[in-house]
Amino acid sequence: QVQLVESGGGLVQVGGSLRLSCTASLRPFRSYAMGWFRQAPGKEREFVAAISWTGSGTYYTDRVKRRFTISRDNAKNMVYLQMTSPKPEDTAVYYCAASRDFPLAGIKEYEYWGQGTQVTVSS
């Protein structure tokens, strides 16, 4: 039974920072590339960032480049999204997901999904 569980969401001010975490029961975890997606109120789910199997490769949407950083710890079955300089437009439910290939940005290309964690950026 595969489970992905996000945590770390909450309320953050525009001058603050936030780190999202995702733990995955994927076996073996290192065989999967990982991604982060988000869905804002009234909008479609969109790609945010992806990371390769070992963590040596990353890929970001232009909307978060130089502000967000994706990372992973294969020894802990964890993937992270460090959010710095957050903007109100970053407010959304953030989802982690797993895929066999890299880089991928389409929601239909990811095999497993978490249930999401809410991030609200106050202005």
Side-chain angles (χ1 to χ4, degrees):
Q1 184 177 4
V2 174
Q3 291 186 352
L4 281 66
V5 181
E6 303 93 339
S7 62
L11 179 64
V12 62
Q13 296 177 327
V14 294
S17 64
L18 197 67
R19 189 181 75 163
L20 307 182
S21 300
C22 175
T23 180
S25 65
L26 301 159
R27 188 186 300 269
F29 180 68
R30 63 184 181 276
S31 293
Y32 292 86
M34 300 295 295
W36 285 97
F37 291 75
R38 67 186 182 185
Q39 187 166 16
K43 297 183 179 180
E44 298 293 323
R45 188 172 300 186
E46 66 175 354
F47 170 79
V48 176
I51 189 166
S52 63
W53 308 267
T54 65
S56 61
T58 58
Y59 188 72
Y60 300 89
T61 177
D62 288 342
R63 296 184 180 183
V64 306
K65 284 183 178 178
R66 293 182 173 86
R67 299 192 299 113
F68 292 6
T69 301
I70 188 172
S71 62
R72 68 188 295 164
D73 186 340
N74 286 351
K76 298 180 179 179
N77 282 34
M78 298 285 290
V79 61
Y80 308 95
L81 185 68
Q82 180 69 45
M83 305 172 61
T84 58
S85 301
K87 304 176 181 179
E89 63 201 56
D90 295 320
T91 295
V93 176
Y94 283 73
Y95 301 86
C96 66
S99 66
R100 288 289 188 176
D101 297 325
F102 176 86
L104 298 175
I107 59 174
K108 294 186 180 297
E109 297 174 305
Y110 284 77
E111 187 173 0
Y112 301 106
W113 293 83
Q115 293 185 322
T117 185
Q118 175 71 50
V119 173
T120 302
V121 183
S122 64
S123 61

